[in-house]
Amino acid sequence: MALAQHEVVRAQTEANRPLEYDEDGQRHILGFWLFLATDLVLFACLFATYQVLVTHTDGGPVLSELFELGGVTAETILLLTSSFTGGLAIYEMRRGNLRGLIGWLVFTVMLGLAFIGIEVYEFVTFVGEGATMQRSAALSAFFTLVGTHGLHVSFGILWMISVIVQLLRFGIQPVTARKAFIAGLYWHFLDVVWVFVFSAVYLMGVLG
Amino acid sequence: MSLWPTEPMVQASLVAIILVSIGIIFTLTYFKKWGWLWREWITTVDHKKIGIMYLICALLMLFRGGVDALLMRIQLAFPDLQFLDAQHYNEIFTTHGTIMILFMAMPFLFAMFNIVVPLQIGARDVAFPYLNAVSFWLFFFGALLFNISFVLGGAPDAGWVNYPPLSELTFSPGPGIDYYLLSLQISGIGSIATGINFLVTILKMRAPGMSMMRMPMFSWSVLASCIVIIFAFPALTAALALLSLDRIVGTHFFTMLHGGNPMMYMNLFWIWGHPEVYIVILPAYGVFSEVVSTFSKKRLFGYKSMVASLLLISVASYLVWVHHFFTMGSSAGVNSFFAVASMAIAIPTGVKVFNWLFTMFRGRIRLSLPMLWMLAFIPTFALGGATGVMLAVAPADYQFHNSYFLIAHFHQVLIGGVVYGMLAGLYYWWPKMFGFQLVEKLGKWAFWLFNIGFYVCFMPQYALGLMGMTRRMYEYPSGMGWNGLNQVSTVGAFIMGIGFLLIVAQILYSIRHGKRDTTGDPWNGRTLEWSLPSPVPHYNFVRIPEVKGRDAWWMMKQEKGDEATSTPSSSIQPIHMPNSSGLPFLMSLAFFVAGFGLVFHQFALAAVGGIGIGICLFLRSLEQDEGYMLSPKEIRRIESAQGRL
Ligand code: HEM
Ligand SMILES: [Cu+2]
């Protein structure tokens, strides 16, 4: 039972809270925040491992010499923009505008795909220069940290596609609104993690 | 590589496993129980049934871990014994430790979480019933993967902490370590989900009027434990994943070559590992708090300080991990910090012990089985804590570390704390789960044997440790002066084994002869679970209760007397219930397939499992699962069958 635009808005104002925050939604959203906390700890462990091992190059390629800031800056811009468009999608959802919601989600997915494309290209270049994951502890840590983030982003893309499919089938109603909102949270979270990857790995690598 | 084992002991286990499996399959087919198994258990999302399944697994794993323990104790009973060879001894102490912590203690706790928490807080289920089933089946298949290792390819043999570089491919080429890594990873995902699930349940699903400070202490302890799970388990996930990458992909996180650093593993492991011991002990504190107040017929003394110390311990548990490797060469400053932090944990723990004692003071004490285990816990745990503080003295730990003194310490806190706690909980909530009571007499025998056996087994080990016997040695020469104490210790282990068997006997005997619990409140309890009939109907509460204070059920009984249990028939409303689902089982099965493939580096098989997981996730995501409504007529039927209308 999809809700029409004005119904969405009315349901929201009557309950004095957004559609995705019905009783079930509140539980799911809190649960998802807790999941993000666990994911954050996971990333913290990978960051710590990276910091410990980054100098352990075993005479092989040195990360700071491999980095090309051009590609990475493009990645950063893409991901930050996609976080913004993801936010716009939720904004449209709250206005009950299904087409706007789906449109911005599709746009977000495209930006995500571009991000992954550049990352894969970077990895392939590194491997071509002999900087493989198996070469040294520093490279193992680098590929694992950045790759884990990349895998999260790829998963996020698949997830958003699944949400888009559901929105097309069921329209905006409490369950799909909740799913879109939570997928959005996940996406913003990955953006925040990326800011740390960008500064702690790439910027500090090049500067330090 | 042929999978058929060559060694007699392994062959015997394999034959036993095959026979038991055939027996189970035959029985299920003969009594036409497959459909029942699928409908009532495998696809269930009912927290009480999930709890019972956890409980059965925990008891089975306690048995397997116990057999491992007895095998080790036989080997150590006499010097130079050739009962087990070095390799088997290594495998057995590894599986013993891993099983006891991850596949016995954890599911035992989760059994209690599941069975008790929703009932105590006046909820109809947990926050995410479907996810709860996923957690259980991930645990189940993780445990299965771990347990088949002994007969299929070889069990892990690098200790329950699985330190590299020993656990790296160079030094442990077989599949054993991969079994360890993947099975822990799979069940660990389930544990994280359980942590999230119960935290949300407690925060969001309490009955109206039950403010946080009116919540029963067991639920508080679960809350604290879940917070620790949420912030500690991801470190284990990371440690296991990185070591798996080393072994499967060929990276160099913890290797000796190419810049790897094994210390990084130890840090990650214990950043999870120390909080883990608090994950398992906090709920035991919760059980003891419930038991002591019910069986002293008094309110819990010092409720607020109990809550504060639970929360303090859960925070402090993150600040002590280095005490597991004082000897690995950190600076004196680092060691001092972690030494003092470790000792400080004894303070909130002491607060709790005094609160329990003051609860008993001038109480009307009944020495039923749960209370007996509670009483045995206090001195045992106090001594274990004291030796913990001794170990936390960093310079002294250079002497104690990895000796039998350490072994005695952690068995004293884990058995005296966690196992006693879970047994107390088992006895306490048994009637609630199954609708009958366990006969006391056999239980008292079991209690005394287990307790005496415990002291006979572990006290000598403190002495052996001080005399220089190190852990994980599979044989020792005569003439070290260790013979007598080792023999005594083995005798103690067997006495505990008999104690365990008596508990099993007690359960089996009580199934026929136990007293039916017709009141739902056999102990004159104080919290909401005792307001319900035993066993509890699947929707738990006909009407969600209104809570007016701490010990809500006690207050209702004071106020309404005999009327407290009955429901006016007219007030019954339809109840919304979640649907059963086969997906959690199937998805976890896919995890198992993927894990098994990775253990043997069969990537095609692993990919099949991975795709299976993906399909299950996608199917679930597209499913519009709105649950179903239970009609008032049906509810009335069930309630009147329980004599509640
Ligand atoms: C005040 C309380 C406690 C203190 C100060 C303490 C201190 C310590 C220290 C310093 C060690 C390491 C010793 C070494 O490796 O040389 C240790 C090991 C251990 N403790 Fe405790 N402990 C306390 C309570 C507990 C509790 C409550 C549990 C579990 C419920 C526990 C379980 C363990 C385990 C499992 C190990 C050994 C792990 C291994 O090496 O395999 N401890 N404890
Ligand atoms: Cu510790």
Side-chain angles (χ1 to χ4, degrees):
Chain A
M1 35 118 219
L3 302 183
Q5 180 159 358
H6 64 278
E7 285 172 324
V8 172
V9 178
R10 183 146 43 87
Q12 291 179 168
T13 39
E14 268 170 18
N16 209 358
R17 62 183 176 216
L19 197 60
E20 65 272 19
Y21 277 92
D22 70 348
E23 207 185 299
D24 234 23
Q26 284 185 21
R27 277 210 295 276
H28 281 83
I29 291 170
L30 175 63
F32 195 74
W33 274 106
L34 292 175
F35 164 76
L36 289 183
T38 66
D39 222 19
L40 196 68
V41 178
L42 181 78
F43 274 109
C45 293
L46 296 182
F47 271 106
T49 310
Y50 177 79
Q51 292 300 342
V52 167
L53 297 177
V54 63
T55 54
H56 296 210
T57 54
D58 185 36
V62 177
L63 279 165
S64 54
E65 291 166 9
L66 290 167
F67 290 155
E68 298 274 359
L69 274 193
V72 184
T73 312
E75 279 181 279
T76 308
I77 293 170
L78 283 171
L79 208 59
L80 287 179
T81 315
S82 80
S83 205
F84 181 64
T85 56
L88 288 180
I90 302 303
Y91 173 73
E92 290 299 341
M93 181 173 89
R94 297 232 170 117
R95 300 197 332 160
N97 180 357
L98 180 64
R99 288 186 54 189
L101 165 59
I102 293 182
W104 284 120
L105 282 182
V106 171
F107 199 67
T108 310
V109 166
M110 312 270 256
L111 290 171
L113 282 171
F115 171 89
I116 291 294
I118 301 181
E119 185 156 282
V120 170
Y121 176 78
E122 185 200 30
F123 280 12
V124 171
T125 319
F126 282 12
V127 171
E129 292 169 22
T132 63
M133 206 172 181
Q134 290 83 2
R135 177 60 194 85
S136 70
L139 285 163
S140 302
F142 166 79
F143 278 107
T144 304
L145 171 57
V146 181
T148 303
H149 177 266
L151 281 178
H152 274 72
V153 173
S154 312
F155 182 79
I157 291 173
L158 290 178
W159 186 1
M160 266 197 276
I161 293 175
S162 148
V163 170
I164 293 172
V165 172
Q166 291 173 58
L167 283 167
L168 285 171
R169 272 174 64 178
F170 308 115
I172 302 179
Q173 30 107 321
V175 174
T176 49
R178 178 187 90 211
K179 289 187 178 179
F181 181 79
I182 289 180
L185 271 185
Y186 183 68
W187 198 258
H188 295 310
F189 166 76
L190 294 180
D191 197 33
V192 173
V193 173
W194 177 258
V195 171
F196 282 93
V197 173
F198 180 66
S199 26
V201 176
Y202 290 99
L203 279 186
M204 275 167 65
V206 174
L207 299 178
Chain B
M1 187 183 64
S2 155
L3 280 179
W4 183 252
T6 48
E7 292 157 67
M9 201 158 133
V10 183
Q11 282 171 343
S13 317
L14 187 54
V15 170
I17 291 177
I18 293 174
L19 287 180
V20 171
S21 312
I22 293 177
I24 293 174
I25 293 173
F26 178 81
T27 317
L28 284 172
T29 314
Y30 186 80
F31 291 104
K32 300 205 174 64
K33 287 289 186 187
W34 285 104
W36 166 82
L37 187 68
W38 176 261
R39 275 190 316 275
E40 297 290 321
W41 296 95
I42 293 180
T43 59
T44 188
V45 293
D46 180 344
H47 66 99
K48 300 176 289 300
K49 286 188 176 167
I50 290 177
I52 288 173
M53 291 195 286
Y54 270 122
L55 182 65
I56 293 171
C57 293
L59 290 174
L60 285 174
M61 288 293 98
L62 183 57
F63 177 73
R64 149 108 210 234
V67 171
D68 283 345
L70 291 182
L71 291 174
M72 288 189 284
R73 274 325 309 173
I74 294 173
Q75 168 66 20
L76 292 177
F78 300 98
D80 297 316
L81 208 63
Q82 297 299 320
F83 175 68
L84 299 171
D85 61 29
Q87 178 58 26
H88 276 146
Y89 192 84
N90 290 351
E91 292 182 17
I92 288 174
F93 73 64
T94 303
T95 52
H96 166 78
T98 314
I99 284 178
M100 284 303 199
I101 301 244
L102 288 143
F103 301 126
M104 187 285 285
M106 292 298 280
F108 219 141
L109 301 178
F110 291 166
M112 297 296 155
F113 286 22
N114 269 288
I115 291 160
V116 181
V117 170
L119 304 183
Q120 269 199 334
I121 63 173
R124 292 227 165 90
D125 208 323
V126 294
F128 311 114
Y130 176 90
L131 184 67
N132 199 21
V134 172
S135 288
F136 171 75
W137 289 108
L138 285 176
F139 150 74
F140 177 87
F141 281 109
L144 190 65
L145 189 62
F146 191 84
N147 276 281
I148 60 172
S149 64
F150 190 62
V151 291
L152 284 183
D157 57 359
W160 84 277
V161 297
N162 202 44
Y163 281 169
L166 174 61
S167 54
E168 290 282 2
L169 209 51
T170 330
F171 304 104
S172 301
I177 306 294
D178 298 305
Y179 270 120
Y180 171 98
L181 294 169
L182 286 149
S183 57
L184 264 59
Q185 194 68 284
I186 292 172
S187 59
I189 299 170
S191 302
I192 293 181
T194 301
I196 295 175
N197 209 339
F198 279 86
L199 189 52
V200 178
T201 304
I202 292 173
L203 291 178
K204 286 275 176 201
M205 313 217 2
R206 280 167 288 125
M210 185 178 282
S211 61
M212 293 299 274
M213 290 317 263
R214 286 178 178 175
M215 211 161 63
M217 193 51 64
F218 178 71
S219 293
W220 262 115
S221 73
V222 173
L223 176 133
S225 175
C226 286
I227 293 175
V228 186
I229 290 179
I230 287 172
F231 290 99
F233 257 81
L236 177 69
T237 308
L240 297 172
L242 299 184
L243 188 53
S244 304
L245 283 176
D246 273 7
R247 291 181 58 90
I248 297 172
V249 182
T251 53
H252 294 285
F253 287 102
F254 314 125
T255 55
M256 298 302 282
L257 294 173
H258 305 296
N261 182 354
M263 274 315 293
M264 197 59 216
Y265 176 92
M266 292 170 209
N267 276 293
L268 288 175
F269 185 89
W270 286 114
I271 286 175
W272 162 76
H274 186 84
E276 166 69 10
V277 307
Y278 284 95
I279 290 169
V280 293
I281 197 68
L282 294 179
Y285 292 167
V287 174
F288 290 129
S289 303
E290 300 294 341
V291 166
V292 77
S293 106
T294 301
F295 291 92
S296 306
K297 217 173 173 188
K298 270 178 69 186
R299 282 184 124 192
L300 186 65
F301 184 90
Y303 180 94
K304 284 184 189 150
S305 63
M306 283 300 216
V307 172
S309 53
L310 277 175
L311 296 178
L312 225 110
I313 292 175
S314 58
V315 174
S317 70
Y318 289 96
L319 305 176
V320 300
W321 82 89
V322 169
H323 69 211
H324 291 277
F325 41 86
F326 280 142
T327 55
M328 301 259 192
S330 305
S331 67
V334 170
N335 275 359
S336 310
F337 172 85
F338 283 96
V340 174
S342 308
M343 295 174 204
I345 293 201
I347 298 169
T349 314
V351 170
K352 302 190 81 71
V353 172
F354 281 110
N355 282 336
W356 290 317
L357 293 177
F358 283 127
T359 307
M360 284 187 270
F361 181 65
R362 292 207 170 142
R364 219 172 293 153
I365 296 180
R366 275 175 298 164
L367 289 181
S368 307
L369 286 172
M371 190 64 176
L372 280 181
W373 288 96
M374 154 80 202
L375 288 173
F377 150 79
I378 289 185
T380 314
F381 197 78
L383 198 56
T387 56
V389 174
M390 288 171 72
L391 287 162
V393 179
D397 187 54
Y398 274 69
Q399 201 60 40
F400 305 140
H401 183 57
N402 279 354
S403 74
Y404 261 80
F405 189 90
L406 164 72
I407 303 292
H409 155 69
F410 73 70
H411 283 90
Q412 186 141 23
V413 278
L414 284 170
I415 296 178
V418 182
V419 176
Y420 285 19
M422 290 304 111
L423 288 175
L426 178 79
Y427 284 120
Y428 185 51
W429 283 302
W430 186 276
K432 191 57 27 196
M433 293 180 231
F434 298 105
F436 63 91
Q437 281 182 280
L438 293 171
V439 292
E440 290 262 318
K441 196 157 179 206
L442 267 170
K444 287 199 171 147
W445 274 98
F447 168 79
W448 283 109
L449 282 171
F450 202 91
N451 252 284
I452 294 170
F454 173 80
Y455 280 90
V456 176
C457 182
F458 288 102
M459 293 307 113
Q461 295 188 9
Y462 281 118
L464 282 167
L466 296 178
M467 291 160 77
M469 182 165 167
T470 56
R471 76 192 291 191
R472 295 179 181 150
M473 49 175 24
Y474 90 104
E475 61 171 7
Y476 53 92
S478 195
M480 304 291 290
W482 302 343
N483 302 3
L485 288 172
N486 269 307
Q487 278 164 29
V488 173
S489 180
T490 300
V491 170
F494 275 89
I495 299 178
M496 289 170 83
I498 299 171
F500 175 77
L501 290 182
L502 283 183
I503 294 177
V504 176
Q506 179 195 16
I507 292 175
L508 295 179
Y509 180 83
S510 307
I511 291 177
R512 286 202 160 271
H513 305 281
K515 196 168 139 244
R516 302 293 117 179
D517 169 27
T518 47
T519 60
D521 189 11
W523 311 116
N524 197 4
R526 314 176 71 84
T527 41
L528 285 176
E529 71 270 31
W530 304 111
S531 70
L532 297 169
S534 311
V536 181
H538 61 300
Y539 47 79
N540 298 355
F541 294 89
V542 192
R543 263 182 324 161
I544 299 295
E546 285 269 352
V547 175
K548 301 210 182 78
R550 241 172 254 163
D551 290 351
W553 171 235
W554 187 259
M555 292 177 70
M556 287 178 200
K557 281 192 284 191
Q558 302 297 350
E559 197 178 314
K560 299 196 196 129
D562 287 346
E563 296 292 282
T565 50
S566 65
T567 323
S569 163
S570 56
S571 70
I572 291 179
Q573 300 284 321
I575 294 177
H576 180 243
M577 297 296 296
N579 283 324
S580 309
S581 169
L583 277 177
F585 175 81
L586 295 174
M587 186 167 84
S588 309
L589 181 66
F591 265 96
F592 177 83
V593 172
F596 191 76
L598 284 178
V599 166
F600 288 97
H601 298 209
Q602 299 294 326
F603 299 111
L605 187 60
V608 170
I611 292 170
I613 298 168
I615 292 176
C616 291
L617 283 175
F618 198 66
L619 285 179
R620 172 64 182 173
S621 173
L622 287 189
E623 196 173 59
Q624 292 258 324
D625 180 6
E626 291 179 348
Y628 66 97
M629 289 311 246
L630 202 60
S631 70
K633 195 164 147 237
E634 178 67 7
I635 300 170
R636 254 180 233 125
R637 193 184 60 72
I638 298 172
E639 288 293 310
S640 53
Q642 305 260 23
R644 291 277 170 149
L645 278 185

